[in-house]
Amino acid sequence: MNNTASIGHDVEQAISANIQILVTNAHSAFEEYKKTSPAKKALFLQTIAAEIISAAPILIPVTQQETALPVARLEGELQRTVKQLNLFADLLLEGFWVRAVIDVKENPAMDIRQVQVPLGVVAVFGASNFPFAFSVAGGDTVSALAAGCPVVYKAHPGHPETSNIVAGCIAEAAAKAGINPSVFSMVTSTGVEAGQALVKHPQISAVAFTGSFKGGKALYDTAAKRPQPIPVYAEMGSVNPVFILPRMLHESGNDIAAKIIGSNHQGVGQFCTNPGIVVMPPLHGVQNFVDKSAELVSIAKSGVMLTAGIQAAYQHGVLKFTQKTQVKLVAAGQPGGEGNTGTPHLFVTDADNFLNDQELHEELFGPSSLFVETSHKADLYNIARQLQGQLTATVWGTDDDLREFADLIPILEEKAGRLLINGVPTGVEVTAAMVHGGPYPATTDAKTTSVGTDAIYRFTRPVCYQNFPQFLLPDALKDENPLNITRIKNGKLA
Ligand code: NAP
């Protein structure tokens, strides 16, 4: 082994040793944390929210410096993160989420009861593009903690100080709420070794990830190869196709152009719900729509991207599109200065070319749009059928359009986790009905969501208790219903 290799080996060993300590401690805390009352867990989450609000005056400038995201965006994201914590606290207090089901009969005697139980220690990988809402105290962490699972969090190297401050808020909240501090811990080492060691650790029971397809798939493969495979909930982004129908384009083309281009450029295009592909109807008027969009793109400013790596990947993708003979660059935004700037781009291609070039179906993370021209109504259906799994799919249409193209909806249902009519996919509301997920490769598990209260079920599993004496049953299943929650008894809400 040469010197460099030996140093590398030492670093790897130090990372592994640190992860070993964090995961073992988290695992030891699990026994107690899973038995912690819903009220105490809710207090923990509410206290994290309060600590983050108190830290905001220090936090926002630090995060602004680390991510180059505008202050208004960060303030909004922080509020969203706080709302998310409180929403999960409310979920715990209300209690129905545990899905307590009781099937009892006297003759012949039957006593079968089911409830959700937490999986164990969860490894959470924070995202670069949401330093609050998908990071330290973001949706993955809060849904795991609400489920009763300790979290070992792998910080994203794009915002280290932000991560430290928010981790401090969680530690403070744990102390105030009387929660074992090992219930949340953070791995600050960077590089794939840290993440790999975490996912391989035998006491990790599930993984949540938001980031690149490459990273998510690598972690998924690692988890699948473990002696005891574990679930990986990786959200890896998508192109979020938008279909514009003829009457709507004719009536409101300029307005739609402004909305779609605005959504595409939001946050320098660094949203997993960024509408990257726009499928236009077979109509003469589409040229006006393209011209209006091109005008908007050409006056759009470049913006600073989150990291040098993300900017380099964007540049590379833009160059690849520009070199394709069947893809036309119709507009580019105002060039940026030095640094990690990303310049908006608008490309156009036709349906045949799109259908034959799989690279055009892949996400180009940044402020770039690909408009697809169609010649026949059938092109819209063919494109919809060939799409990969998506987080969202949007249709713009008048009522008459939507009736005429109603068959698009069942096709898109097969492709995406969230369908929108006449809207933009950026801006994911945190509600009980939200689905932020979708078929592979948008995510590694189409049956789940990483936003909204249903995100909790990624970290629980059902357990059935048959013929148990009352004193041994979990509180949620006892006849006296000490938690006072709504349950399903013999098929009826009770
Ligand atoms: P990333 O490269 O996927 O990294 C995300 C996290 O996963 C980091 O903590 C990283 O650790 C870790 N990681 C990555 N590959 C790994 C592997 N093979 N084994 C173990 N851990 C691994 O994402 P990013 O840095 O945020 O951005 C890179 C690209 O991801 C972007 O250009 C964009 O295409 C895409 N992206 C997508 C979304 C989305 O919403 N889906 C969000 C952000 C970015 P280290 O960095 O410490 O090595």
Side-chain angles (χ1 to χ4, degrees):
M1 202 185 281
N2 66 28
N3 262 354
T4 321
S6 142
I7 291 167
H9 183 69
D10 289 349
V11 171
E12 248 177 67
Q13 283 204 326
I15 291 170
S16 290
N18 178 40
I19 285 171
Q20 174 66 25
I21 294 167
L22 299 182
V23 179
T24 307
N25 288 348
H27 190 257
S28 306
F30 177 50
E31 288 296 310
E32 177 196 343
Y33 187 60
K34 76 175 179 188
K35 284 188 270 173
T36 300
S37 72
K40 192 166 170 183
K41 285 202 281 275
L43 175 67
F44 179 34
L45 301 185
Q46 287 161 341
T47 314
I48 298 172
E51 290 295 321
I52 291 175
I53 291 172
S54 306
I58 304 164
L59 194 50
I60 299 274
V62 168
T63 314
Q64 204 282 323
Q65 236 220 320
E66 288 186 323
T67 62
L69 291 170
V71 167
R73 146 80 200 271
L74 290 174
E75 285 171 347
E77 193 185 318
L78 188 133
Q79 285 309 323
R80 173 199 161 134
T81 309
V82 163
K83 179 183 160 193
Q84 196 161 246
L85 282 152
N86 287 323
L87 185 73
F88 276 94
D90 291 346
L91 187 80
L92 294 179
L93 294 173
E94 196 274 336
F96 182 61
W97 79 271
V98 299
R99 293 179 175 164
V101 183
I102 301 174
D103 290 331
V104 282
K105 225 171 26 176
E106 272 180 17
N107 197 8
M110 179 181 83
D111 191 320
I112 301 175
R113 302 172 190 233
Q114 185 201 103
V115 75
Q116 296 290 314
V117 302
L119 288 184
V121 183
V122 176
V124 173
F125 287 74
S128 55
N129 57 341
F130 280 92
F132 302 137
F134 278 95
S135 285
V136 185
D140 289 332
T141 299
V142 64
S143 47
L145 291 177
C149 299
V151 167
V152 179
Y153 177 83
K154 157 75 176 72
H156 194 285
H159 47 264
E161 196 43 39
T162 300
S163 301
N164 279 331
I165 296 172
V166 181
C169 292
I170 299 180
E172 193 61 32
K176 286 183 179 166
I179 298 287
N180 185 327
S182 298
V183 161
F184 176 88
S185 56
M186 186 162 84
V187 176
T188 50
S189 317
T190 59
V192 297
E193 298 79 12
Q196 289 288 327
L198 187 55
V199 172
K200 281 179 191 161
H201 195 289
Q203 286 170 326
I204 290 290
S205 296
V207 179
F209 168 94
T210 305
S212 65
F213 174 77
K214 201 171 152 215
K217 181 66 167 59
L219 293 171
Y220 180 84
D221 290 343
T222 298
K225 283 186 202 135
R226 289 169 35 129
Q228 186 198 359
I230 50 170
V232 174
Y233 303 105
E235 192 267 86
M236 305 176 292
S238 69
V239 293
N240 304 295
V242 177
F243 291 79
I244 308 180
L245 302 181
R247 294 173 193 83
M248 187 57 135
L249 188 126
H250 180 71
E251 284 173 21
S252 314
N254 285 358
D255 186 37
I256 301 169
K259 289 195 170 115
I260 292 176
I261 295 298
S263 170
N264 180 258
H265 293 178
Q266 219 181 321
V268 203
Q270 299 163 114
F271 283 115
C272 42
T273 49
N274 179 356
I277 286 175
V278 176
V279 184
M280 301 181 291
L283 187 79
H284 284 310
V286 296
Q287 193 51 49
N288 294 341
F289 174 73
V290 175
D291 291 346
K292 178 67 190 172
S293 304
E295 183 191 319
L296 293 168
V297 170
S298 61
I299 56 170
K301 292 198 178 86
S302 297
V304 181
M305 300 193 85
L306 291 160
T307 64
I310 288 177
Q311 194 258 1
Y314 178 62
Q315 286 293 103
H316 178 71
V318 165
L319 186 66
K320 214 160 69 173
F321 271 39
T322 312
Q323 287 169 343
K324 286 182 184 283
T325 48
Q326 307 287 340
V327 175
K328 199 163 87 187
L329 171 65
V330 293
Q334 302 291 306
E338 293 292 299
N340 303 330
T341 53
T343 305
H345 283 80
L346 173 58
F347 297 94
V348 174
T349 193
D350 63 36
D352 283 347
N353 186 44
F354 182 76
L355 289 168
N356 289 321
D357 185 346
Q358 201 52 39
E359 276 185 351
L360 298 179
H361 297 228
E362 287 163 17
E363 182 182 37
L364 176 43
F365 195 70
S368 168
S369 258
L370 175 65
F371 284 17
V372 185
E373 294 168 335
T374 56
S375 313
H376 314 280
K377 200 172 154 182
D379 287 339
L380 277 88
Y381 290 99
N382 289 338
I383 290 170
R385 282 194 193 96
Q386 272 210 20
L387 289 168
Q388 313 186 99
Q390 305 288 335
L391 295 171
T392 73
T394 303
V395 180
W396 282 84
T398 63
D399 281 358
D400 284 345
D401 280 327
L402 295 171
R403 279 192 193 94
E404 185 185 338
F405 287 83
D407 290 345
L408 259 185
I409 302 300
I411 301 172
L412 295 176
E413 271 169 5
E414 284 179 30
K415 303 290 177 175
R418 178 163 59 109
L419 305 181
L420 295 92
I421 299 289
N422 299 338
V424 291
T426 42
V428 184
E429 291 291 332
V430 184
T431 71
M434 180 48 70
V435 175
H436 188 63
Y440 185 87
T443 79
T444 49
D445 189 337
K447 292 189 290 183
T448 61
T449 174
S450 61
V451 177
T453 44
D454 270 7
I456 200 168
Y457 296 112
R458 295 173 301 166
F459 308 122
T460 64
R461 63 187 177 87
V463 170
C464 174
Y465 302 80
Q466 194 161 344
N467 287 347
F468 264 52
Q470 288 290 314
F471 63 88
L472 265 188
L473 280 168
D475 282 351
L477 296 177
K478 286 184 173 145
D479 282 349
E480 73 197 58
N481 194 6
L483 299 176
N484 197 21
I485 58 175
T486 306
R487 310 185 288 188
I488 298 173
K489 189 165 180 193
N490 292 336
K492 294 203 174 80
L493 283 179

